[in-house]
């Protein structure tokens, strides 16, 4: 009997950490009409919607990631993003140790971390709210502890598409929750649910996925392949005297096509950023802007290309080579960053692109070796000619 009692205490104080990932319509106090497993953080949501008075009863199940952390659920009245969300955030009170549930409005300053997040009344009609650990009063907070947030909200009549936002953080400063982790899993905790039908709005997600594929394909072709290929044509074809100035037209044509195609890919990337406000790929974005600016600097520089006899021609060539090679390197690196941002770093697409880049590098090495062989051979021939000429002159003088 004592062993059974100890076992019950153990189970109640260490709840199943995966519980929050299971969709359930039943809690200790209510039974709900619908439920849904959310796409991140092992969270789930149950709700009942009453159309006659536009009232929404909901239960959110999330989990802590630290004993002093926080878990929150919010509704954004305008769009599926963090900024503008009206949230209920639960965390343990540092003084009493009891669970506290407070309202917060996540304005843009929170995203920029310009100030602490302070509790203030919500401008949506919350009829009631509460929070409790799954497992009852005997449960303790540790990493993985499940918490349920209950709320009854008065919605706008006939508006059933609700933008839900949820997240969790490591600690609370006073009564101010600190920034949450910024992994892909944590930044994807946004969904839009029709609480009447129980369906999610997948159309926008499908459009974003298609745009990502187009964005990745175009940029891999333009910045990641055509631009390096154009640089190769300039470096190795210009020394072939039999083709004359054809190398220049090939080089300029390939590079201009790559720049304009890359501009399309860059524009799609900007649009993706607007459609995915909760996702920030800092390094990929910075490299993209740098590559785009350098590419267009190269293009504009063609308008100021001095003649071969001009004294500033050598400076222009140095600038052109430096900016061009920098653009090529950044473009290739950013393509790999893009694959990583899309979660495709181990995919066949990355493998195919790696093979293309490896082929270009192999061609460069082969052509570079060939160029040096030709250069050394010509240098040797010229040296022999000079020595032969000098030897002939000496013979004439001695004769």
């Amino acid at each position: 009997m004592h062993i059974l009692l100890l076992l019950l205490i153990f189970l109640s104080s260490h709840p199943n950490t995966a519980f929050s990932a299971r969709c359930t319509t039943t809690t200790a106090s209510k039974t709900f009409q619908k439920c849904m497993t959310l796409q991140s953080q092992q969270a789930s949501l149950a709700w009942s919607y009453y159309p006659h008075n536009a009232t929404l009863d909901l239960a959110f199940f999330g989990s802590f990631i630290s004993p002093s952390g926080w878990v929150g659920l919010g509704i954004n009245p305008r769009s599926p993003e963090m900024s503008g969300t009206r949230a209920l955030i639960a965390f343990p009170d540092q003084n009493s140790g009891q669970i506290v549930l407070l309202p917060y409005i996540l304005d843009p300053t929170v995203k920029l971390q310009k100030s602490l997040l302070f509790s203030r009344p919500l401008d949506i009609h919350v009829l009631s709210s509460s929070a409790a650990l799954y497992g009852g009063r005997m449960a303790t907070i540790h990493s993985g502890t499940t918490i349920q947030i209950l709320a009854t909200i008065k919605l706008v009549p006939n508006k059933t598409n609700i933008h839900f936002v949820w997240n969790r953080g490591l600690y609370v400063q006073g009564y101010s929750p600190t920034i949450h982790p910024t992994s892909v899993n944590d930044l994807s905790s946004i969904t839009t649910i029709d609480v009447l039908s129980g369906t999610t709005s997948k159309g926008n997600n499908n459009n974003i996925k298609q745009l990502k594929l187009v964005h990745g394909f175009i940029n891999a072709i333009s910045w990641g392949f055509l631009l390096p290929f154009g640089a190769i044509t300039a470096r190795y074809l210009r020394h072939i005297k039999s083709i004359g100035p054809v190398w220049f037209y090939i080089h300029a044509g390939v590079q201009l096509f790559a720049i304009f195609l890359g501009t399309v890919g860059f524009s799609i990337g900007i649009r993706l950023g607007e459609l995915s406000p909760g996702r920030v790929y800092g390094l990929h974005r910075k490299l993209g802007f740098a590559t785009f600016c350098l590419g267009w600097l190269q293009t504009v520089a063609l308008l100021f290309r001095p003649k071969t006899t001009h004294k500033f021609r050598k400076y222009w060539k140095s600038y052109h080579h430096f900016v061009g090679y920098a653009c090529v390197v950044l473009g290739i690196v950013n393509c790999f960053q893009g694959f990583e941002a899309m979660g495709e770093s181990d995919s066949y697409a990355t493998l195919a692109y790696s093979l293309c880049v490896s082929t270009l590098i192999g061609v460069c090495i082969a052509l570079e070796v060939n160029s040096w062989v030709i250069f050394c051979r010509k240098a040797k021939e010229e040296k022999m000619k000079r020595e032969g000429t000098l030897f002939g002159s000496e013979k004439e003088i001695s004769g």
Side-chain angles (χ1 to χ4, degrees):
M1 185 67 181
H2 292 291
I3 296 175
L4 180 60
L5 181 60
L6 289 173
L7 181 60
L8 289 173
I9 293 174
F10 177 81
L11 291 174
S12 62
S13 61
H14 294 80
N16 187 351
T17 59
F19 175 82
S20 57
R22 296 202 304 266
C23 176
T24 178
T25 57
T26 304
T27 65
S29 57
K30 287 185 179 181
T31 299
F32 298 90
Q33 298 169 352
K34 295 180 175 66
C35 69
M36 179 178 294
T37 300
L38 302 176
Q39 69 262 29
S40 66
Q41 300 181 351
Q42 293 187 328
S44 62
L45 184 70
W47 73 91
S48 296
Y49 177 66
Y50 306 100
H52 65 279
N53 59 3
T55 301
L56 178 68
D57 278 342
L58 59 86
F60 170 76
F61 298 90
S63 58
F64 286 93
I65 53 175
S66 78
S68 57
W70 58 267
V71 177
L73 171 72
I75 290 176
N76 192 318
R78 297 181 180 85
S79 59
E81 60 177 320
M82 185 187 77
S83 296
T85 296
R86 279 61 174 166
L88 295 171
I89 299 179
F91 53 87
D93 190 307
Q94 295 177 354
N95 299 319
S96 65
Q98 299 297 315
I99 293 295
V100 176
L101 183 68
L102 295 177
Y104 296 85
I105 297 178
L106 310 183
D107 55 37
T109 60
V110 175
K111 186 175 181 179
L112 298 174
Q113 302 179 51
K114 290 184 176 180
S115 60
L116 292 175
L117 178 62
F118 295 105
S119 177
R120 51 177 164 158
L122 303 181
D123 53 4
I124 59 175
H125 198 179
V126 180
L127 302 177
S128 64
S129 62
S130 63
L133 297 179
Y134 179 70
R137 295 181 179 179
M138 301 181 68
T140 58
I141 299 177
H142 56 85
S143 179
T145 298
T146 299
I147 186 171
Q148 56 185 17
I149 298 176
L150 303 174
T152 301
I153 303 171
K154 182 78 171 179
L155 301 179
V156 177
N158 301 319
K159 186 178 180 181
T160 58
N161 278 326
I162 308 300
H163 307 302
F164 289 101
V165 181
W166 65 98
N167 225 306
R168 55 193 181 179
L170 288 169
Y171 65 97
V172 178
Q173 185 176 341
Y175 288 92
S176 299
T178 58
I179 187 171
H180 58 75
T182 55
S183 66
V184 174
N185 182 52
D186 295 296
L187 294 175
S188 62
S189 53
I190 300 171
T191 191
T192 301
I193 301 175
D194 186 336
V195 293
L196 182 61
S197 64
T199 58
T200 57
S201 299
K202 295 183 179 179
N204 189 46
N205 292 334
N206 289 336
N207 291 336
I208 291 176
K209 188 174 182 180
Q210 291 174 0
L211 279 178
K212 280 184 177 180
L213 291 174
V214 174
H215 169 73
F217 179 77
I218 289 178
N219 285 340
I221 293 295
S222 57
W223 303 108
F225 181 78
L226 289 177
L227 212 65
F229 179 76
I232 291 172
T233 59
R235 180 166 179 80
Y236 300 109
L237 294 185
R238 65 187 304 169
H239 301 295
I240 303 176
K241 295 181 179 180
S242 59
I243 64 174
V246 173
W247 71 267
F248 174 77
Y249 298 112
I250 295 175
H251 168 67
V254 171
Q255 299 301 71
L256 286 174
F257 179 69
I259 289 295
F260 285 112
L261 187 63
T263 301
V264 174
F266 179 81
S267 302
I268 295 174
I270 296 295
R271 180 57 181 161
L272 280 171
E274 295 174 353
L275 293 175
S276 310
R279 296 171 174 84
V280 179
Y281 305 109
L283 181 58
H284 181 58
R285 178 175 292 182
K286 291 172 184 175
L287 288 174
F289 273 101
T291 307
F292 178 77
C293 292
L294 289 177
W296 273 102
L297 276 175
Q298 282 288 78
T299 305
V300 173
L302 287 174
L303 302 175
F304 304 96
R305 180 170 173 255
K307 294 182 179 180
T308 54
T309 56
H310 199 281
K311 63 179 181 179
F312 290 123
R313 174 73 175 205
K314 60 180 180 180
Y315 301 112
W316 185 90
K317 284 183 67 176
S318 298
Y319 156 83
H320 188 67
H321 289 163
F322 175 77
V323 175
Y325 288 130
C327 188
V328 167
V329 172
L330 288 178
I332 293 174
V333 171
N334 203 31
C335 283
F336 285 107
Q337 278 293 323
F339 285 123
E340 186 175 339
M342 292 176 66
E344 300 289 337
S345 55
D346 297 325
S347 66
Y348 287 111
T350 307
L351 177 61
Y353 179 69
S354 299
L355 290 174
C356 289
V357 173
S358 301
T359 302
L360 286 177
I361 293 174
V363 169
C364 286
I365 293 173
L367 291 175
E368 193 69 27
V369 170
N370 183 64
S371 297
W372 275 101
V373 169
I374 294 174
F375 174 78
C376 293
R377 185 183 300 166
K378 287 184 177 180
K380 187 176 181 180
E381 290 175 354
E382 289 178 1
K383 183 180 179 182
M384 291 176 66
K385 286 180 180 179
R386 287 197 303 269
E387 290 178 350
T389 304
L390 181 62
F391 181 72
S393 300
E394 289 178 351
K395 282 185 69 176
E396 290 177 2
I397 293 172
S398 62

